[in-house]
Structures are given as C-alpha cells and as structure tokens.
Amino acid sequence: STKYIKKEYILDNQTFAIIKPDAVKNKDTGLILDRILKADFHVLAGKLLHMSQEQAEGFYDIHKGKPFYDELIQFMSSGQCMVLALEKENAVEEWRNTIGATNPDEALEGTIRKDFATSVGLNAVHGSDSNENAQKEIAFFFSDGELRGN
Ligand code: IDP
Ligand code: MG
C-alpha cells in the first residue's frame, strides 16, 4: 500500500506582535514602531483596532483559567491596539529578544518592555512564543488578502 505523509511547512521568518492598549494610550506607538523598523523587521501587515471582549478571549484562549486571565481580557479590550505581522529571519526569537521579559522589572536594558512597560500586566507589547503560534495569531487577525502583496 502507498502511505501518504502529510508534511506541514511552518514558516520560521514570521511573528505576530501587538502594541498593547497601555502603549497606545501613552502615545508610544510611534516610538515602538521605530524600534521594530530599526531592528530590521519588515512589516507584512498592520492595523489599529479595538478588540472586543470576545476577540480578546479568543486570542488568549491558552491562558483561560490562569489567575490573571480576567484582568488580561479586560485590559486587552480596554482600548485601541496595533496588531502587526512581522517578518525577519528567526522572527519569533528575534522579536522576543527585542521586547524583553514579561515582567519589565526583569527585562534587559534596551528592550521595549524595559523602556515602555508599566507592570507585568500592562507590558506594552505582545510577541508570539513559537512558529506555530505565530501563524495562528497572524491568521486570527489578518486575512490572506491583507498579507498578500508584500
Ligand atoms: P508573554 O506576553 O511574555 O508571552 P504570558 O505569560 O504569555 O507572557 O502572558 C500573557 C500576558 O498576560 C502578558 O504579556 C501580560 O500582559 C499578562 N500577564 C502575564 N502574567 C501576569 C501576571 O502575573 N499578572 C497580570 N498579568 C499578567
Ligand atoms: Mg505569551
């Protein structure tokens, strides 16, 4: 018999970022975009949006049940944010290094969270934690059409 092996090719040069509502409210959107561009990420797609509670719940489904979940959903749906599909070689790791630790007290000098985050909750930016999640998160907010033409 013939066996068909389905191979899934997961891109390793894309990641998903959010400039979170705290950073947008603090008028840091431009400064954070500047960091992104200066770190040689290519912006494949980006848009401003105000997440509904349902969108925030869908996006952060993996954190459901955690003690900070309700606070996180409330925060992420509290105002406008900017969602971005970013491209660079080794994008996920490069972007995590650029943003720094979840808790700004632990974030290294020169990272975005060190310079723009207020607390572990209000931490200015999001970054995907794996190539698989990057593709899921990009697809959660962007249609194929929005990602084409770059
Ligand atoms: P990450 O954003 O660095 O990947 P995660 O552990 O995936 O961190 O948590 C997702 C988001 O949930 C964080 O960026 C932060 O906004 C929020 N969060 C995480 N831990 C806490 C906490 O202990 N208190 C309040 N909010 C938290
Ligand atoms: Mg995470």
Short mmCIF file of all heavy atoms in Angstrom, two decimals, residues 35 96-117:
data_model
loop_
_atom_site.label_atom_id
_atom_site.label_comp_id
_atom_site.label_asym_id
_atom_site.label_seq_id
_atom_site.Cartn_x
_atom_site.Cartn_y
_atom_site.Cartn_z
N ARG A 35 11.34 51.24 16.89
CA ARG A 35 12.19 50.13 17.38
C ARG A 35 12.09 48.92 16.45
O ARG A 35 13.07 48.25 16.16
CB ARG A 35 11.77 49.70 18.79
CG ARG A 35 11.87 50.76 19.86
CD ARG A 35 13.28 50.88 20.38
NE ARG A 35 13.34 51.83 21.47
CZ ARG A 35 13.50 51.49 22.76
NH1 ARG A 35 13.61 50.24 23.12
NH2 ARG A 35 13.55 52.43 23.68
N ARG A 96 11.09 38.21 20.48
CA ARG A 96 11.06 38.01 21.95
C ARG A 96 12.29 38.69 22.58
O ARG A 96 12.18 39.29 23.65
CB ARG A 96 11.06 36.51 22.31
CG ARG A 96 9.83 35.71 21.90
CD ARG A 96 8.53 36.02 22.62
NE ARG A 96 8.57 36.07 24.04
CZ ARG A 96 7.48 35.96 24.82
NH1 ARG A 96 6.28 35.76 24.28
NH2 ARG A 96 7.57 36.07 26.12
N ASN A 97 13.42 38.61 21.93
CA ASN A 97 14.62 39.28 22.46
C ASN A 97 14.47 40.80 22.42
O ASN A 97 14.96 41.50 23.31
CB ASN A 97 15.87 38.87 21.67
CG ASN A 97 16.26 37.43 21.92
OD1 ASN A 97 15.87 36.84 22.93
ND2 ASN A 97 17.03 36.85 21.01
N THR A 98 13.81 41.30 21.39
CA THR A 98 13.62 42.75 21.24
C THR A 98 12.65 43.30 22.30
O THR A 98 12.84 44.41 22.78
CB THR A 98 13.09 43.07 19.82
OG1 THR A 98 14.02 42.57 18.85
CG2 THR A 98 12.92 44.57 19.61
N ILE A 99 11.63 42.50 22.66
CA ILE A 99 10.64 43.01 23.64
C ILE A 99 11.09 42.80 25.08
O ILE A 99 10.75 43.60 25.94
CB ILE A 99 9.22 42.44 23.41
CG1 ILE A 99 9.08 40.95 23.72
CG2 ILE A 99 8.76 42.76 22.01
CD1 ILE A 99 7.65 40.42 23.49
N GLY A 100 11.84 41.75 25.39
CA GLY A 100 12.28 41.50 26.75
C GLY A 100 11.29 40.70 27.57
O GLY A 100 10.23 40.30 27.09
N ALA A 101 11.63 40.50 28.85
CA ALA A 101 10.85 39.63 29.73
C ALA A 101 9.44 40.18 29.96
O ALA A 101 9.21 41.39 29.90
CB ALA A 101 11.56 39.48 31.07
N THR A 102 8.51 39.26 30.26
CA THR A 102 7.11 39.61 30.52
C THR A 102 7.00 40.70 31.59
O THR A 102 6.25 41.66 31.46
CB THR A 102 6.33 38.36 30.98
OG1 THR A 102 6.54 37.31 30.04
CG2 THR A 102 4.85 38.65 31.11
N ASN A 103 7.77 40.51 32.67
CA ASN A 103 7.80 41.48 33.77
C ASN A 103 8.89 42.52 33.50
O ASN A 103 10.07 42.18 33.42
CB ASN A 103 8.09 40.73 35.08
CG ASN A 103 8.01 41.66 36.28
OD1 ASN A 103 8.09 42.88 36.15
ND2 ASN A 103 7.85 41.06 37.45
N PRO A 104 8.50 43.79 33.35
CA PRO A 104 9.51 44.82 33.00
C PRO A 104 10.64 44.93 34.03
O PRO A 104 11.75 45.35 33.67
CB PRO A 104 8.70 46.11 32.91
CG PRO A 104 7.41 45.83 33.60
CD PRO A 104 7.15 44.37 33.48
N ASP A 105 10.38 44.52 35.27
CA ASP A 105 11.46 44.53 36.28
C ASP A 105 12.58 43.57 35.92
O ASP A 105 13.71 43.72 36.37
CB ASP A 105 10.91 44.17 37.67
CG ASP A 105 9.97 45.23 38.21
OD1 ASP A 105 10.04 46.38 37.72
OD2 ASP A 105 9.16 44.91 39.10
N GLU A 106 12.23 42.54 35.13
CA GLU A 106 13.22 41.53 34.73
C GLU A 106 13.71 41.74 33.29
O GLU A 106 14.59 41.01 32.82
CB GLU A 106 12.60 40.13 34.84
CG GLU A 106 12.36 39.71 36.28
CD GLU A 106 11.31 38.61 36.39
OE1 GLU A 106 11.05 37.92 35.39
OE2 GLU A 106 10.75 38.47 37.50
N ALA A 107 13.17 42.74 32.61
CA ALA A 107 13.53 42.96 31.20
C ALA A 107 14.91 43.65 31.12
O ALA A 107 15.24 44.52 31.92
CB ALA A 107 12.48 43.82 30.52
N LEU A 108 15.70 43.21 30.14
CA LEU A 108 17.06 43.75 29.98
C LEU A 108 17.02 45.19 29.46
O LEU A 108 16.07 45.62 28.82
CB LEU A 108 17.85 42.88 29.00
CG LEU A 108 18.07 41.41 29.39
CD1 LEU A 108 18.86 40.69 28.30
CD2 LEU A 108 18.79 41.30 30.74
N GLU A 109 18.10 45.90 29.73
CA GLU A 109 18.30 47.26 29.21
C GLU A 109 18.13 47.25 27.69
O GLU A 109 18.64 46.36 27.01
CB GLU A 109 19.72 47.75 29.51
CG GLU A 109 20.01 48.04 30.98
CD GLU A 109 19.21 49.22 31.51
OE1 GLU A 109 18.91 50.15 30.71
OE2 GLU A 109 18.87 49.20 32.70
N GLY A 110 17.44 48.27 27.19
CA GLY A 110 17.31 48.41 25.73
C GLY A 110 16.15 47.65 25.13
O GLY A 110 15.87 47.80 23.94
N THR A 111 15.47 46.82 25.94
CA THR A 111 14.31 46.11 25.41
C THR A 111 13.08 47.02 25.48
O THR A 111 13.04 48.00 26.24
CB THR A 111 14.02 44.81 26.19
OG1 THR A 111 13.76 45.13 27.56
CG2 THR A 111 15.20 43.85 26.11
N ILE A 112 12.09 46.70 24.67
CA ILE A 112 10.88 47.53 24.59
C ILE A 112 10.13 47.53 25.92
O ILE A 112 9.68 48.58 26.40
CB ILE A 112 9.98 47.05 23.43
CG1 ILE A 112 10.66 47.35 22.08
CG2 ILE A 112 8.59 47.72 23.49
CD1 ILE A 112 9.95 46.80 20.87
N ARG A 113 10.02 46.36 26.54
CA ARG A 113 9.29 46.31 27.82
C ARG A 113 10.05 47.06 28.92
O ARG A 113 9.42 47.70 29.78
CB ARG A 113 8.99 44.86 28.21
CG ARG A 113 7.79 44.31 27.43
CD ARG A 113 7.65 42.83 27.58
NE ARG A 113 6.36 42.32 27.11
CZ ARG A 113 6.10 41.04 26.94
NH1 ARG A 113 7.02 40.13 27.21
NH2 ARG A 113 4.91 40.65 26.51
N LYS A 114 11.37 46.99 28.90
CA LYS A 114 12.15 47.76 29.89
C LYS A 114 11.81 49.24 29.78
O LYS A 114 11.66 49.93 30.78
CB LYS A 114 13.65 47.52 29.63
CG LYS A 114 14.57 48.33 30.52
CD LYS A 114 14.61 47.78 31.92
CE LYS A 114 15.56 48.56 32.79
NZ LYS A 114 15.63 47.97 34.14
N ASP A 115 11.68 49.71 28.55
CA ASP A 115 11.52 51.15 28.32
C ASP A 115 10.07 51.63 28.29
O ASP A 115 9.81 52.81 28.53
CB ASP A 115 12.21 51.55 27.00
CG ASP A 115 13.72 51.36 27.08
OD1 ASP A 115 14.25 51.34 28.21
OD2 ASP A 115 14.36 51.23 26.02
N PHE A 116 9.11 50.75 28.00
CA PHE A 116 7.73 51.22 27.82
C PHE A 116 6.70 50.53 28.70
O PHE A 116 5.57 51.03 28.81
CB PHE A 116 7.30 51.06 26.35
CG PHE A 116 8.14 51.87 25.39
CD1 PHE A 116 9.12 51.26 24.61
CD2 PHE A 116 7.96 53.24 25.29
CE1 PHE A 116 9.90 52.01 23.73
CE2 PHE A 116 8.73 53.99 24.42
CZ PHE A 116 9.71 53.38 23.63
N ALA A 117 7.02 49.39 29.33
CA ALA A 117 6.02 48.68 30.15
C ALA A 117 5.88 49.33 31.51
O ALA A 117 6.84 49.90 32.05
CB ALA A 117 6.40 47.22 30.29
#
